[in-house]
Amino acid sequence: ASDVYKRQIYARHLLPRLARRAGLERRVHPHGLRHTHAADLALAGGTVLAIQQQLGHTSLVTTANYLRKVGVQLDQAKMIRP
């Protein structure tokens, strides 16, 4: 297996263990951190275009869906400028 794949598997197993150790009851996984990162960028005033680039999405719709899933309300004006 490739090194990248091994790191992904390691993170996938490490995060739940760390969450249990910290006493967290919610499921913690790498992809959830990606959603949280997107939400934090939006709440800090980042535009959807900037967030799209940060996450590497080819479609702005994908980024908007990411943000909606974590409860970020999109203002049409913030789609392209702060």
Side-chain angles (χ1 to χ4, degrees):
S2 73
D3 287 339
V4 171
Y5 180 73
K6 288 177 185 176
R7 285 192 300 265
Q8 289 172 345
I9 295 295
Y10 178 73
R12 200 172 301 144
H13 293 292
L14 177 65
L15 285 174
R17 283 197 332 252
L18 292 174
R20 278 192 304 276
R21 210 184 274 176
L24 299 176
E25 294 180 15
R26 293 188 64 176
R27 184 173 168 236
V28 178
H29 51 92
H31 200 76
L33 295 177
R34 192 170 156 82
H35 282 270
T36 300
H37 176 64
D40 286 347
L41 289 173
L43 294 173
T47 65
V48 177
L49 285 175
I51 297 166
Q52 174 191 13
Q53 290 175 338
Q54 178 78 36
L55 296 177
H57 292 155
T58 55
S59 169
L60 195 59
V61 172
T62 302
T63 306
N65 288 338
Y66 247 65
L67 295 173
R68 267 195 229 60
K69 284 182 183 180
V70 292
V72 174
Q73 298 299 317
L74 297 176
D75 176 351
Q76 291 297 325
K78 279 191 76 174
M79 293 292 281
I80 56 172
R81 63 183 180 284

